[in-house]
Amino acid sequence: MANIVIIGTQWGDEGKGKIVDLLAERADVVVRFQGGNNAGHTLVINGKQFVFHLIPSGTLQKKTCMIGNGVVVDPAVLLEELEQLADAGVSVSPEQLRISDKAHLIMPYHKVIDLARESKKDACKIGTTGRGIGPAYEDKASRCGIRFAELLDETLFAERVRGVLEEKNFYLEQYFSLPTIDPEDVIEEYRRYAETLAPFVADVPVELEAVAAAGKQILFEGAQGTHLDIDHGTYPYVTSSSTVAGNACCGAGVGPKRITGVIGIVKAYTTRVGMGPFPSELLDETGDYLQEKGAEFGATTGRRRRCGWLDMVLLNNAARLNGMTGVAITKLDVLGGLEELKICTAYECNGKHTAAFPANLRMLEGCTPVYETLPGWAEDISGARALKDLPEATRNYLNRIEELAGLPIDIVSVGPERGQTIVTRNPFEE
Ligand code: IMP
């Protein structure tokens, strides 16, 4: 019996959705434990593209999917995704999708505040996705958030919305000079969501414990990446939740002893959307090549992703923070056609080489990458289904990553389709 956590090792967009989809085949339950609809998982199945923001990727595998207490949920987005799936012939029943009664709701004022902050000229811009994620987590921490448990209690919900909006409206009007929000409109809008979503709301930790006790397998689906973690990332250019594997326990409601493995997803190069330091960023034609060949546009906002070489300082930091037991390399095919490849093995900061990830952003911004150069390959590798099918230069690149990370590469993705994958070890089959 295995319970596996999947996390991103870089700044998100590592291609976790495809790996979750692949591993979900062997799992009984897939659970999301943090983030919200700032995430975007693009899956290509039989040539058809699906983009999910909230629903765990395992839905397409007809698995039981759960949204844990650590997730912030925009109910309008959730309903839209359910409708999109139904239109594509994948209907999701309440037995198949369980939403924690302790998950917090993203409210209309969260979105307005997020966007207003980002557009205020003198504000400290983060380049957020504008989905209200930060303001929703802020309210959770300041204990004026509203959860599914309250949503299902009409009177309590109305009281909470009226109370919270007193303060939010003052802030919107006085600080941003924006129109206020009528609590009665919000109450009416969310009453309709409550009616549809009530059957899906559950005590997720109790249900997960029953699943684990029955010897079934759980896949914990992380969103974003380790370096967007609120504590361990490039603060303040981070998201507002904890994205590391340890939060799978807290954000889903299971004890740490239940976790048996952690697979870190590593894009074969590095990308980042939004602001913040990025030591191995390529601002030249190689960066453009990766951006274009890898179709590096944000799945949620459509923004162009910044691209750079693989950074082992990031990867090793992620390996330690998450207790990674294995690695999945994604988008390896994108590197094909480059004469040589570089791997950042350390940073040079103030004239000294360091393999540590500095917390001080000024220092990090002043660091330059120390590179090791490897030969590239010209062949199209998207048809490879085993390591032996890969050119020698590709195998050398993978071997070097294994060596530098001190971890096995379990999975290699060589194209967007489910079948374009090399699996050397399935963590659910140990
Ligand atoms: P927020 O999560 O919308 O508050 O955005 C904070 C930072 O995290 C911004 O730099 C976003 O671009 C980034 N971010 C949030 N979600 C994702 C994701 O799923 N992939 C990549 N970056 C993300």
Side-chain angles (χ1 to χ4, degrees), residues 226-308:
T226 300
H227 295 87
L228 286 174
D229 182 274
I230 182 80
D231 285 290
H232 301 289
T234 44
Y235 190 89
Y237 300 101
V238 292
T239 191
S240 300
S241 64
S242 174
T243 59
V244 293
N247 191 35
C249 296
C250 185
V254 299
K257 282 164 102 179
R258 287 285 183 209
I259 311 288
T260 59
V262 178
I263 304 295
I265 315 299
V266 182
K267 197 183 281 187
Y269 47 97
T270 311
T271 61
R272 171 165 207 167
V273 282
M275 278 104 161
F278 180 174
S280 68
E281 183 169 16
L282 286 165
L283 298 166
D284 57 9
E285 66 272 19
T286 309
D288 292 342
Y289 180 87
L290 295 173
Q291 199 276 328
E292 276 155 38
K293 191 163 177 211
E296 295 294 353
F297 291 98
T300 300
T301 57
R303 287 178 292 177
R304 204 180 151 92
R305 294 179 186 143
R306 300 153 64 191
C307 297

Side-chain angles (χ1 to χ4, degrees), residues 11-14 16 37-41 114 126-135 223-225 228 236-241 272-276 300-301 303 305:
W11 281 290
D13 307 319
E14 294 92 353
K16 293 177 291 293
N37 59 311
N38 46 352
H41 292 160
D114 195 1
I126 304 292
T128 72
T129 59
R131 302 297 192 261
I133 307 296
Q224 290 87 46
L228 286 174
Y237 300 101
V238 292
T239 191
S240 300
S241 64
R272 171 165 207 167
V273 282
M275 278 104 161
T300 300
T301 57
R303 287 178 292 177
R305 294 179 186 143

Side-chain angles (χ1 to χ4, degrees), residues 247-429:
N247 191 35
C249 296
C250 185
V254 299
K257 282 164 102 179
R258 287 285 183 209
I259 311 288
T260 59
V262 178
I263 304 295
I265 315 299
V266 182
K267 197 183 281 187
Y269 47 97
T270 311
T271 61
R272 171 165 207 167
V273 282
M275 278 104 161
F278 180 174
S280 68
E281 183 169 16
L282 286 165
L283 298 166
D284 57 9
E285 66 272 19
T286 309
D288 292 342
Y289 180 87
L290 295 173
Q291 199 276 328
E292 276 155 38
K293 191 163 177 211
E296 295 294 353
F297 291 98
T300 300
T301 57
R303 287 178 292 177
R304 204 180 151 92
R305 294 179 186 143
R306 300 153 64 191
C307 297
W309 294 120
L310 180 69
D311 182 342
M312 291 307 297
V313 180
L314 285 189
L315 176 45
N316 287 330
N317 197 41
R320 180 173 21 78
L321 288 168
N322 293 290
M324 274 160 53
T325 51
V327 168
I329 302 280
T330 59
K331 299 188 95 163
L332 187 62
D333 52 306
V334 175
L335 292 181
L338 290 169
E339 218 161 277
E340 52 182 34
L341 306 172
K342 291 189 198 294
I343 298 180
C344 166
T345 53
Y347 297 153
E348 188 176 317
C349 307
N350 299 325
K352 287 193 190 124
H353 281 200
T354 173
F357 198 76
N360 181 327
L361 278 207
R362 288 265 153 79
M363 191 187 277
L364 184 56
E365 274 157 5
C367 289
T368 49
V370 178
Y371 286 121
E372 190 175 294
T373 305
L374 281 83
W377 59 90
E379 296 90 330
D380 172 9
I381 60 165
S382 60
R385 296 295 174 267
L387 292 178
K388 65 172 174 43
D389 302 336
L390 295 170
E392 195 185 347
T394 320
R395 275 185 278 128
N396 286 343
Y397 185 69
L398 293 177
N399 290 342
R400 189 64 186 131
I401 297 172
E402 277 191 331
E403 257 167 39
L404 290 166
L407 282 168
I409 295 176
D410 297 334
I411 300 169
V412 180
S413 169
V414 292
E417 289 280 347
R418 202 184 261 173
Q420 291 178 306
T421 316
I422 299 167
V423 181
T424 58
R425 187 189 69 110
N426 187 322
F428 281 117
E429 284 175 358

Side-chain angles (χ1 to χ4, degrees), residues 169-205:
N169 276 336
F170 178 82
Y171 183 46
L172 288 177
E173 198 170 33
Q174 302 297 317
Y175 186 67
F176 291 115
S177 308
L178 282 171
T180 56
I181 294 173
D182 185 340
E184 303 316 311
D185 290 346
V186 177
I187 293 163
E188 177 51 25
E189 181 187 342
Y190 277 62
R191 192 188 54 73
R192 281 181 273 125
Y193 300 147
E195 265 172 30
T196 320
L197 291 174
F200 295 88
V201 178
D203 189 334
V204 164

